[in-house]
Amino acid sequence: MPKIHIKAIEAFRVDLRTRMPFRYGIATMTELPHVFIRLTAEIGQHTSTGLAADHLPPRWFKKDPDQHPLDEIEEMLQVIEHAVTQAEGSSWASPFDWWLAAYEEQMAW
């Protein structure tokens, strides 16, 4: 099986506003960032690019009522940026090996 080599990985942030306030748990959301990740990988002789995206809603990551929602979002962005930095240029035997290494690196960090 050919190795997976991460040639490029980028994160993009778009700030969104909700159509109406949305309440969940201890939070009410009216705006939030949406983060996109674009990854280009080389597998054997083939190069592919993929895109993933998700919201970063306040009070979702740590659910700490004493932490300001903007501080929590900043922490989520730091975690994503660290993962992006660690992934770029790496090579792995399988997607699982890549996931496991990323998981262990993030936990140690």
Side-chain angles (χ1 to χ4, degrees):
M1 173 181 267
K3 281 187 126 181
I4 300 166
H5 176 69
I6 309 303
K7 294 182 65 146
I9 184 168
E10 303 168 277
F12 303 92
R13 174 184 172 171
V14 177
D15 292 321
L16 303 174
R17 295 188 61 78
T18 60
R19 184 174 57 85
M20 66 180 78
F22 176 75
R23 181 153 176 84
Y24 59 98
I26 63 171
T28 300
M29 184 172 53
T30 58
E31 57 188 346
L32 77 162
H34 195 81
V35 174
F36 296 83
I37 304 292
R38 180 173 45 213
L39 180 137
T40 301
E42 185 177 83
I43 304 167
Q45 300 298 319
H46 303 296
T47 300
S48 295
T49 299
L51 186 68
D54 207 349
H55 294 308
L56 302 181
R59 305 283 190 242
W60 190 260
F61 194 50
K62 291 169 56 181
K63 297 171 179 56
D64 181 354
D66 297 325
Q67 185 176 29
H68 192 279
L70 295 178
D71 292 337
E72 184 178 15
I73 289 170
E74 185 57 37
E75 283 186 23
M76 286 190 276
L77 292 168
Q78 289 173 4
V79 167
I80 292 167
E81 185 60 37
H82 183 261
V84 165
T85 300
Q86 294 301 313
E88 191 161 28
S90 63
S91 295
W92 304 102
S94 71
F96 177 78
D97 290 340
W98 178 31
W99 171 85
L100 182 59
Y103 176 81
E104 290 173 345
E105 170 62 33
Q106 290 294 91
M107 293 302 289
W109 178 66

